């Protein structure tokens, strides 16, 4: 039996995405506790900026590695390098907005 048949079965793919969704929920719950412990007050627009930044990082990583997986290594590395650099800069700006004063 080919191993790819096992991983492409009808039950494992939905289970994978359910586990990924559960991990995302744990990530945001953990982020809330971490922010509270760090003394960072969050308003709705700070949560929105943080969620948009996180979604952007997620899309860049997924897109870059999808390109690499499709044997477009040069395009994938370019995608990760250029847009990853932009997201690092935006993340630094977001941190300056979020960090507590003092």
């Amino acid at each position: 039996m080919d191993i790819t048949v096992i991983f492409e079965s009808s039950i494992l793919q939905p289970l994978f995405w359910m586990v990924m969704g559960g991990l995302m929920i744990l990530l945001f719950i953990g982020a809330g506790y971490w922010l509270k412990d760090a003394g960072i007050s969050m308003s709705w627009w700070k949560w929105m900026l943080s969620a948009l930044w996180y979604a952007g990082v997620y899309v860049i990583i997924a897109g870059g590695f999808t390109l690499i997986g499709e044997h477009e290594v040069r395009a994938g590395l370019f995608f990760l390098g250029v847009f990853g650099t932009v997201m690092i800069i935006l993340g630094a700006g977001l941190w300056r907005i979020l960090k507590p004063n003092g």
Side-chain angles (χ1 to χ4, degrees):
M1 177 182 272
D2 188 17
I3 192 83
T4 58
V5 174
I6 295 170
F7 291 111
E8 293 176 1
S9 70
S10 61
I11 190 66
L12 288 180
Q13 194 169 15
L15 283 176
F16 170 78
W17 289 112
M18 284 189 271
V19 168
M20 288 296 290
L23 289 173
M24 292 284 185
I25 290 169
L26 289 175
L27 181 129
F28 280 107
I29 290 172
Y33 283 115
W34 177 78
L35 289 165
K36 190 181 295 183
D37 286 344
I40 300 172
S41 63
M42 295 290 285
S43 60
W44 68 270
W45 61 271
K46 288 181 180 180
W47 277 111
M48 184 65 68
L49 286 176
S50 300
L52 286 172
W53 181 82
Y54 179 76
V57 169
Y58 190 79
V59 167
I60 288 167
I61 291 172
F65 283 102
T66 298
L67 284 168
I68 292 171
E70 295 288 333
H71 304 292
E72 296 289 342
V73 177
R74 191 169 173 191
L77 292 175
F78 180 80
F79 190 83
L80 287 169
V82 171
F83 294 113
T85 302
V86 170
M87 290 310 287
I88 289 171
I89 293 167
L90 290 175
L94 180 63
W95 176 247
R96 290 191 46 96
I97 292 171
L98 296 180
K99 76 176 180 174
N101 296 333

